[in-house]
Amino acid sequence: MEKKVTFWAKMSLIFKKEVREKMAQTDELKEQIQQQIKQAETIAALEEIRVAQLGKSGAITQMMKQLGQLSGEERKEQGQILNEFKNEIVACLEAKKEALEQAELEKKLASEKIDVTLPCRPETNQGRIHPVYQAIDEMLTIFAQMGFELAEGPDVEDDWHNFEALNIPPNHPARQMQDSFYFPGGSLLRTHTSGVQIRTMEKQKPPVKIVCPGRAYRVDNDATHTPMFHQIEGLMVDKTTNLANLKTLCLEFMKLFFETDDVSLRFRPSFFPFTEPSFEVDVGGVLANRVGKDWMEVFCCGMVDPAVLENCHIDPKEYQGFAFGLGLDRFAMLKYGIPDLRTFFDGDMRWIKHYGFTPIDVPTLTAGLSGNGGKKC
Amino acid sequence: MLASLSWLKRYLKTTATPKEIADKLTAIGLEIEEMTDNASVLKDFIIAEIKTVENHPDSDHLHVLNVWNGTEMLQIVCGAPNVRVGMKSVLAGVGVMIPSFGKRIEKGKIRGVESQGMLCAEDEIGVGTDHTGIMDLNTDLPAGTPLTEFLKTDVLFDVNVLANRPDCFGVKGLARDLVAVGLGDWIEEPAPVVTEHFKFPVSLSVTDPACPQYVARYIKDVQNKESPAWLKELLNSVGQKPISALVDITNYLCIGECRPLHVFDADKITGSLVVRSAKEGEKIKALDDKEYTLSEGMLVIADDKGVQSIAGIMGGIETAVSMDTKNVIIESAYFDPLSIARTARKLNIISDARMRFERGVDPASTVYGCNRATELVCQLCGGQASEKMVVGQEINWQLAIDFDFNEVKRLTGMDVPYDTMIDILQNLGYIVSGGKVHVPSWRIHDTRRPADLVEEIVRIYGLDTLPSAPVRAETLRVATLKPHQKAESIVRRALAGRGLCQAITWSFMDSKLAALFGSKKVALANPIASDLDEMRPSLIPNLLSATKRNQDRGVADVALFEVGPVFFSDVPGEQKLVAGGIRAGQMTPKHWAENTRAVDVFDVKADVEAALSAMGVPLGTVYDKAPEWYHPARSGSFTLGKNCLAVFGEIHPAVLKKFGIKTPTVGFEIYMNNLPAVKSKAPKKLQTSALMPLTRDFAFVMDQEVSAEKVLSAVRSVNKDLITDVSVFDVYQGEKLPEHKKQLAIKVVIQPVEKTLTDSEIEILCTQIVNFVSKNTGAVLRSA
């Protein structure tokens, strides 16, 4: 028995010595292992190191097991050292693992490269609003804010609404200014949108405050005229409206539509059968300069002729007001920088895509009427 | 209307500059379209003297001249026949702009001989019309003197005289307005003095009311000749070619005073003169050398032989004056403007007289005109005048307007001092007395009512003091669109949002093509072109034409829409608003990431659905019926109640062939007038369920004729609470099925409402679906 104990004691001593020696060698060992870890190139290689050190029969695991052979103080002391050693190795392994994983991810991502300069899938929503209708929407936005309602009328008109009620009797010289498209029955394609004024006043007693954009037609076909074109007209009739109101309207409208304060207007007396007094309004400043002029005619307007009011059974002694009209196509050309009227009605996809407006470009006064602020070209 | 500064100054004493005059005329409603100052045009021309004349070695009509320009001798090749040694003429040196050519003179060789400039004819420098030779200045001014020291310089105004100011078709009328606006003083001409020697020797009568007054005078023993310099210069100054004194006098009064006249060679008149309506088919060879065939109702002056003048429009060549004329009859008449306008328009004659008579000349100027012309003829051509012959009376032109001067303030908002208003009217020739304004005879055509007087006052007073006043005095109400107007605005942006480009095409089209689109034969009487002769019955044809144009330009894939009217009668209002579109070519073009796909029916069906949904309109029911311009088996319509909301489909191949379109092409038309009015209202409260929805797929086999819509609506109607969505995810017809059969694969989404459904509840619902579809459509569930 004693012999036996002695053996164990002896063994223990020898072992303890080895343990102690080993323990004493931990710094060296640590360096060795760390070097291995550092040199590991793959996660698998790293795993091998881990198993060799920390696996069930790994070197460190074995050392931990042998700790039990020590006693008391020594075990505590050596245990602490060994634990620190182990933790250090674990941290080192983990850091290396993370680095290797990161490298592997980077490698994978690099292999997934695509050519981002390739063109996108074809955009199907490339529709455009025609500049004339963008202009109409812009103008309606302005006029709505001034309280003008949108009114409509037919393209085919009768003599009364297109001429006679507007104080243009048969054979009046003014009719020479308008060569009209007639139907065999005597009706005609409206030569202006003014018939809408009559139709409105026939139905509605003052106050009347309307604008009417639309197609108009004249027998005319050259570089600056098309047989069909667009006009917008306005009418305001009540008990007090006068030329001063008209002046303000023209000025405000021009500033808002062209989105500039650099607007100077000139009222030039003129003649239209349906207004008296009548004026043509010229604009100066940058807008006229755009077309190389000092002044450029933009509006026709005047106080509604008493005969026109009477024709609509409105007493000109009690009511008064103004009417104005302008060429929509020309305004669109000027604002959006479109050089040629004849291209407006061709349906050329290239033209519409170039000069047209995206449908989300809905005019508002708060955001500026058109997305480009009126400087398209 | 052309007026020169020199002519204006016959009536107007002014120190104003041409620019001031032009600006003022524009400001008072007599717009200056162009002002040409020939002093600036002529400033580079100088007087030069011909020193030698030799024949050109290589030409039988050209001469080689040595010309002294005051500093050096120039060699000039000249083709004018009137060159001679010692002659002083007009030299354009190298670099000088020749107005009539719009080009500068260059040094060059003419048939091998160097030419260092050009001697000019009258017409070439715009001071006259003569082109028979170079100008022979016949002056003592030395060579080298600027031409402007020899020629009177002048300024030409091109005035846009509008229809309401016939008086301004006379230079005098312009001068009168300039006086009124304070730009000078009126030069009163003494009244014409005429000595009458004998009775008017010709029988003269008027038988047509279109000539209320005809004044004539016979002058015997005249000697027609070239007009004196002052008259020629005046006429030249406005580009009117001087002809002879007798003719020039009439032009002088026509242009100067808006008093058209006519002069007959009295010796060529046979018998008596009568002012009458033409007889159908009567002919006259007029002064423009053209023969006109007249018709009943045209006013003429005739003698015993026939028509000698188209009254107020153009005289006849047979009785025209010539340099040999000895005796003349002067005509100064008033003709009814409408009569003149009708006749001239029918005969298509434009003349100075017509232009003035049809707008309305001064009805009180007939006797004056006759007297002034007589005086001038006697002064310039000698002769003895007869008594004047006056047939008829001045029209009753006197007019006094009751005028409240407060009208100016009421209509314009301007405060014009009372005295100023009176001055303006009186300077224009109105007489103001006792609350009435008497209109001068030359303004009766356009000044009839108080508003006309307001215009007179404000245009002369000027609009600089026009105050500003807002247009929104009473309320700050913003106008809003009516529902149908809003729908129109939305449909445009909805369709553009679908990738269609908005086109605007003509309202008219080719009647031959219209026949393919249910034409109602709304034809124009005077189309601008034979292929734009009928109002369009549909938007499709003009969009197809545009499609073809695009494809011819290399844009193969077209997506266009238009919102505009179509017509079914020539009665106002018988038109409909349509939103129509065309898609042609590829829907998805060749691309690295996509498969190409041609446009098909479902693209335009989707356009219609998107547009209707955007406008808030229920889609209604889809039927397989569409107008004849669509493919009969690949088209359909959306119908709500009795109203057809829209049609869509492939365009009929026969139609495409007519338009020369070879790509697949589909189209749609949304009938805006047929859409129900949509009231904007808040949406229903959103109900969301916490329970998971589940889906079940079914494959039904049925006859090919059974529409998908029928199957889908059958499924939907099984349980409207639980079934929230039904869709088709596969369509098959082919070998694996019997003939005339197809298979629809349908996905049904079932959303439990209050509690999770048990397996048996789901089973029951599915059985109901299968049974109901089977019952309604004859479809059977495909056996697994």
Side-chain angles (χ1 to χ4, degrees):
Chain A
M1 190 68 181
E2 196 197 333
K3 210 176 174 180
K4 222 180 175 177
V5 168
T6 308
F7 170 79
W8 276 112
K10 196 180 173 187
M11 282 303 286
S12 158
L13 277 173
I14 293 164
F15 193 79
K16 271 183 202 163
K17 189 184 168 216
E18 282 177 355
V19 172
R20 275 186 215 103
E21 279 167 2
K22 266 191 183 164
M23 298 295 164
Q25 286 164 3
T26 50
D27 281 349
E28 201 181 318
L29 192 59
K30 190 164 79 184
E31 222 162 276
Q32 255 176 36
I33 298 171
Q34 279 175 339
Q35 195 60 34
Q36 282 174 14
I37 291 171
K38 199 176 170 190
Q39 283 165 0
E41 283 180 352
T42 63
I43 290 179
L46 196 68
E47 181 65 10
E48 267 175 39
I49 297 167
R50 190 190 66 80
V51 171
Q53 300 301 330
L54 299 167
K56 259 187 190 167
S57 48
I60 297 174
T61 312
Q62 289 302 322
M63 285 166 73
M64 297 291 276
K65 277 184 185 162
Q66 287 167 7
L67 273 181
Q69 295 170 16
L70 299 182
S71 59
E73 279 298 295
E74 203 175 13
R75 188 167 65 194
K76 198 176 168 191
E77 188 186 317
Q78 291 302 325
Q80 197 174 348
I81 293 169
L82 199 54
N83 254 328
E84 272 170 26
F85 170 58
K86 183 190 165 189
N87 285 345
E88 226 167 302
I89 294 300
V90 167
C92 190
L93 276 167
E94 271 169 13
K96 181 66 179 180
K97 192 181 176 198
E98 205 170 300
L100 281 175
E101 277 173 352
Q102 182 65 28
E104 234 167 74
L105 179 66
E106 275 165 16
K107 200 173 155 195
K108 178 169 176 280
L109 292 184
S111 75
E112 287 171 355
K113 181 175 171 63
I114 56 171
D115 179 2
V116 295
T117 68
L118 275 169
C120 303
R121 284 180 187 79
E123 180 62 65
T124 49
N125 293 340
Q126 280 188 351
R128 290 288 186 275
I129 294 293
H130 194 287
V132 166
Y133 277 88
Q134 186 73 12
I136 289 177
D137 283 348
E138 292 186 19
M139 290 182 186
L140 290 181
T141 305
I142 297 168
F143 287 126
Q145 176 258 160
M146 295 176 174
F148 287 82
E149 283 178 347
L150 174 60
E152 299 138 315
D155 292 49
V156 176
E157 265 299 5
D158 50 36
D159 189 80
W160 170 257
H161 291 97
N162 196 72
F163 290 127
E164 192 127 17
L166 289 159
N167 201 30
I168 316 173
N171 278 305
H172 192 283
R175 286 202 188 184
Q176 291 170 28
M177 287 152 57
Q178 303 154 351
D179 284 336
S180 324
F181 287 110
Y182 279 94
F183 295 99
S187 55
L188 73 160
L189 287 175
R190 63 181 178 195
T191 58
H192 42 209
T193 46
S194 314
V196 183
Q197 297 180 20
I198 303 298
R199 288 181 181 275
T200 304
M201 286 193 289
E202 282 174 342
K203 276 183 272 171
Q204 181 190 340
K205 292 302 135 197
V208 172
K209 211 171 166 186
I210 55 159
V211 282
C212 34
R215 296 175 175 220
Y217 308 83
R218 289 181 198 172
V219 183
D220 220 344
N221 205 6
D222 57 36
T224 54
H225 297 89
T226 46
M228 183 186 93
F229 55 97
H230 294 83
Q231 272 194 339
I232 187 166
E233 291 200 354
L235 172 75
M236 178 173 177
V237 175
D238 55 26
K239 293 191 173 178
T240 57
T241 289
N242 62 30
L243 212 53
N245 303 111
L246 176 59
K247 176 189 173 182
T248 306
L249 174 123
C250 291
L251 194 64
E252 286 298 305
F253 172 81
M254 290 296 287
K255 285 181 179 175
L256 288 170
F257 182 74
F258 288 105
E259 297 169 60
T260 170
D261 282 334
D262 185 3
V263 172
S264 50
L265 292 185
R266 173 173 89 168
F267 276 65
R268 195 156 40 72
S270 189
F271 168 67
F272 310 107
F274 31 90
T275 46
E276 186 77 19
S278 303
F279 301 92
E280 284 176 291
V281 183
D282 300 335
V283 67
V286 286
L287 294 174
N289 297 343
R290 263 192 224 175
V291 293
K293 290 182 178 175
D294 293 335
W295 293 101
M296 176 181 53
E297 185 198 321
V298 284
F299 283 99
C300 298
C301 62
M303 296 299 292
V304 180
D305 195 285
V308 173
L309 293 173
E310 278 168 5
N311 286 335
C312 301
H313 309 292
I314 293 172
D315 182 0
K317 290 199 178 69
E318 190 178 354
Y319 293 104
Q320 61 187 55
F322 61 70
F324 61 89
L326 59 91
L328 265 171
D329 309 315
R330 252 166 39 86
F331 267 66
M333 287 169 78
L334 191 62
K335 178 161 183 181
Y336 312 133
I338 308 172
D340 185 1
L341 171 68
R342 305 188 56 78
T343 54
F344 273 56
F345 310 117
D346 188 69
D348 186 334
M349 293 276 291
R350 299 167 304 180
W351 186 93
I352 302 169
K353 282 189 177 173
H354 183 78
Y355 288 115
F357 291 79
T358 67
I360 56 166
D361 197 351
V362 180
T364 68
L365 285 173
T366 37
L369 289 171
S370 42
N372 51 42
K375 294 174 199 73
K376 179 118 194 154
C377 293
Chain B
M1 167 75 187
L2 295 173
S4 60
L5 184 61
S6 58
W7 205 322
L8 271 172
K9 285 186 171 174
R10 287 187 76 80
Y11 315 109
L12 178 74
K13 190 175 168 208
T14 184
T15 53
T17 64
K19 174 86 167 60
E20 284 169 335
I21 291 174
D23 288 348
K24 219 39 158 184
L25 284 172
T26 295
I28 62 176
L30 294 157
E31 189 191 3
I32 299 298
E33 293 194 322
E34 202 182 349
M35 181 176 88
T36 327
D37 181 351
N38 73 0
S40 64
V41 174
L42 296 176
K43 67 181 183 344
D44 295 330
F45 293 86
I46 55 169
I47 297 173
E49 185 175 347
I50 301 175
K51 293 293 190 185
T52 64
V53 176
E54 279 167 32
N55 287 333
H56 191 288
D58 202 16
S59 163
D60 54 4
H61 71 279
L62 293 176
H63 293 98
V64 180
L65 316 175
N66 274 315
V67 175
W68 178 247
N69 70 358
T71 51
E72 59 180 327
M73 197 69 82
L74 303 175
Q75 176 174 292
I76 289 177
V77 178
C78 182
N82 63 334
V83 292
R84 62 165 203 279
V85 173
M87 179 179 184
K88 284 181 187 154
S89 190
V90 176
L91 172 71
V94 170
V96 173
M97 169 74 80
I98 306 294
S100 65
F101 306 162
K103 271 191 187 161
R104 293 186 187 282
I105 292 291
E106 291 169 17
K107 196 185 273 188
K109 285 186 174 178
I110 299 176
R111 294 212 191 165
V113 177
E114 188 174 294
S115 186
Q116 300 168 313
M118 172 176 158
L119 297 177
C120 304
E122 258 181 34
D123 66 332
E124 286 162 341
I125 59 169
V127 298
T129 52
D130 185 56
H131 193 69
T132 56
I134 56 171
M135 288 180 79
D136 187 350
L137 298 180
N138 195 14
T139 172
D140 294 333
L141 291 170
T145 309
L147 179 65
T148 48
E149 286 183 26
F150 171 79
L151 275 183
K152 264 215 303 201
T153 58
D154 210 342
V155 181
L156 187 64
F157 303 98
D158 186 353
V159 191
N160 178 20
V161 178
L162 298 169
N164 64 328
R165 291 302 303 275
D167 62 308
C168 286
F169 278 98
V171 180
K172 205 176 202 174
L174 300 172
R176 190 183 291 113
D177 267 33
L178 286 169
V179 171
V181 81
L183 229 59
D185 295 317
W186 188 247
I187 300 172
E188 192 69 53
E189 268 188 300
V193 178
V194 175
T195 315
E196 298 177 333
H197 295 274
F198 56 97
K199 281 206 176 325
F200 187 75
V202 179
S203 161
L204 173 65
S205 58
V206 177
T207 64
D208 193 300
C211 176
Q213 192 181 37
Y214 194 94
V215 179
R217 182 175 267 119
Y218 195 102
I219 307 175
K220 65 178 183 183
D221 300 332
V222 300
Q223 196 193 342
N224 199 8
K225 54 173 75 159
E226 198 179 322
S227 291
W230 70 264
L231 181 50
K232 286 201 293 186
E233 274 167 18
L234 274 190
L235 293 174
N236 273 330
S237 74
V238 296
Q240 179 77 41
K241 187 176 181 178
I243 293 169
S244 69
L246 288 174
V247 176
D248 294 350
I249 288 166
T250 63
N251 285 333
Y252 168 65
L253 289 170
C254 181
I255 296 164
E257 307 197 20
C258 193
R259 178 60 258 178
L261 302 162
H262 186 61
V263 184
F264 294 99
D265 187 326
D267 296 328
K268 292 174 183 162
I269 299 286
T270 310
S272 54
L273 279 177
V274 58
V275 185
R276 61 163 168 84
S277 162
K279 294 168 198 149
E280 198 65 38
E282 275 188 303
K283 289 185 165 48
I284 177 175
K285 193 168 193 191
L287 284 168
D288 60 2
D289 233 13
K290 288 183 196 155
E291 187 173 79
Y292 294 94
T293 304
L294 308 174
S295 51
E296 181 83 38
M298 294 180 172
L299 194 68
V300 298
I301 294 99
D303 66 3
D304 292 357
K305 278 170 70 185
V307 176
Q308 300 303 350
S309 173
I310 310 167
I313 296 170
M314 195 173 277
I317 217 157
E318 203 172 304
T319 53
V321 294
S322 67
M323 292 314 269
D324 303 326
T325 297
K326 293 283 171 269
N327 302 300
V328 295
I329 294 169
I330 293 173
E331 161 200 299
S332 177
Y334 186 84
F335 300 117
D336 175 49
L338 291 186
S339 164
I340 299 295
R342 268 198 303 269
T343 302
R345 219 175 291 166
K346 259 193 208 162
L347 297 176
N348 197 18
I349 301 176
I350 294 166
S351 70
D352 285 338
R354 171 237 169 135
M355 199 173 79
R356 289 169 173 83
F357 276 121
E358 76 179 353
R359 285 169 171 81
V361 302
D362 179 353
S365 69
T366 45
V367 170
Y368 164 80
C370 181
N371 287 343
R372 181 67 78 197
T374 306
E375 181 189 60
L376 283 167
V377 169
C378 293
Q379 276 173 12
L380 304 185
C381 307
Q384 288 193 318
S386 76
E387 290 175 358
K388 67 175 181 292
M389 178 71 180
V390 180
V391 182
Q393 290 177 339
E394 280 177 17
I395 57 164
N396 180 21
W397 57 265
Q398 279 81 4
L399 175 68
I401 301 171
D402 284 319
F403 187 57
D404 176 356
F405 282 82
N406 293 318
E407 281 289 280
V408 173
K409 171 87 176 169
R410 178 174 85 102
L411 290 177
T412 69
M414 283 165 72
D415 287 303
V416 185
Y418 180 74
D419 291 345
T420 308
M421 294 196 276
I422 302 278
D423 284 348
I424 287 170
L425 289 178
Q426 286 183 342
N427 281 332
L428 288 169
Y430 297 88
I431 295 163
V432 184
S433 76
K436 285 188 190 297
V437 176
H438 298 264
V439 180
S441 56
W442 58 87
R443 294 302 302 277
I444 56 137
H445 300 285
D446 74 297
T447 314
R448 311 292 303 171
R449 306 151 310 167
D452 303 325
L453 294 173
V454 172
E455 175 171 70
E456 290 290 272
I457 291 165
V458 297
R459 78 180 175 90
I460 299 295
Y461 185 68
L463 289 139
D464 299 342
T465 60
L466 180 58
S468 297
V471 285
R472 225 177 22 192
E474 289 158 26
T475 66
L476 288 175
R477 191 173 62 91
V478 169
T480 50
L481 297 180
K482 298 180 190 77
H484 73 278
Q485 295 168 335
K486 190 176 168 193
E488 188 189 335
S489 167
I490 288 172
V491 79
R492 290 196 295 263
R493 289 183 190 271
L495 292 174
R498 288 273 309 157
L500 294 147
C501 285
Q502 188 186 10
I504 300 176
T505 69
W506 304 133
S507 297
F508 18 68
M509 60 173 297
D510 188 342
S511 57
K512 291 192 285 297
L513 292 173
L516 303 169
F517 295 88
S519 162
K520 298 289 188 295
K521 299 201 166 24
V522 189
L524 286 164
N526 55 335
I528 194 133
S530 60
D531 60 353
L532 295 173
D533 59 339
E534 184 174 320
M535 300 309 288
R536 62 186 183 188
S538 158
L539 294 186
I540 297 298
N542 282 351
L543 288 174
L544 285 176
S545 298
T547 300
K548 172 69 173 150
R549 283 196 296 275
N550 275 294
Q551 293 184 336
D552 286 347
R553 293 179 188 125
V555 181
D557 302 334
V558 176
L560 288 171
F561 79 98
E562 178 169 9
V563 182
V566 300
F567 301 84
F568 48 97
S569 145
D570 64 355
V571 173
E574 305 219 323
Q575 65 185 57
K576 274 184 182 167
L577 186 68
V578 177
I582 286 288
R583 290 181 182 274
Q586 298 295 316
M587 189 66 187
T588 329
K590 219 173 179 181
H591 190 270
W592 65 270
E594 304 268 305
N595 292 326
T596 64
R597 177 171 76 74
V599 297
D600 68 27
V601 164
F602 295 99
D603 295 319
V604 277
K605 186 183 178 191
D607 290 333
V608 173
E609 288 187 352
L612 293 178
S613 302
M615 292 185 281
V617 172
L619 299 182
T621 313
V622 174
Y623 293 103
D624 59 357
K625 292 275 178 293
E628 67 264 24
W629 50 94
Y630 290 95
H631 188 305
R634 293 182 172 188
S635 59
S637 53
F638 286 80
T639 304
L640 188 68
K642 281 183 292 182
N643 283 333
C644 177
L645 306 182
V647 296
F648 65 93
E650 281 185 24
I651 303 298
H652 199 293
V655 170
L656 289 182
K657 202 173 169 192
K658 291 270 188 202
F659 284 85
I661 295 173
K662 296 195 174 75
T663 57
T665 303
V666 291
F668 66 89
E669 291 156 88
I670 302 168
Y671 303 120
M672 300 294 288
N673 302 80
N674 290 357
L675 305 183
V678 178
K679 284 197 187 113
S680 54
K681 55 182 180 213
K684 278 189 292 190
K685 191 182 169 202
L686 175 65
Q687 303 283 358
T688 51
S689 173
L691 305 171
M692 274 298 283
L694 51 123
T695 64
R696 286 293 180 273
D697 295 346
F698 301 84
F700 287 107
V701 175
M702 67 204 79
D703 291 344
Q704 285 179 6
E705 285 70 37
V706 175
S707 71
E709 174 63 28
K710 206 169 175 186
V711 176
L712 295 176
S713 71
V715 175
R716 277 185 214 110
S717 62
V718 168
N719 188 326
K720 288 195 164 133
D721 294 327
L722 293 179
I723 298 173
T724 54
D725 190 42
V726 187
S727 56
V728 177
F729 65 89
D730 190 44
V731 179
Y732 175 77
Q733 49 195 51
E735 290 164 10
K736 291 176 192 162
L737 288 174
E739 247 187 297
H740 307 304
K741 291 284 182 188
K742 69 177 173 190
Q743 175 183 299
L744 293 185
I746 289 172
K747 187 179 101 174
V748 179
V749 179
I750 298 162
Q751 173 65 60
V753 182
E754 283 166 355
K755 59 176 184 57
T756 311
L757 297 176
T758 64
D759 285 353
S760 68
E761 282 169 332
I762 296 168
E763 191 61 32
I764 289 167
L765 184 63
C766 290
T767 310
Q768 281 174 336
I769 289 173
V770 172
N771 289 344
F772 198 70
V773 169
S774 183
K775 191 179 139 202
N776 273 268
T777 68
V780 292
L781 196 65
R782 187 191 62 182
S783 42

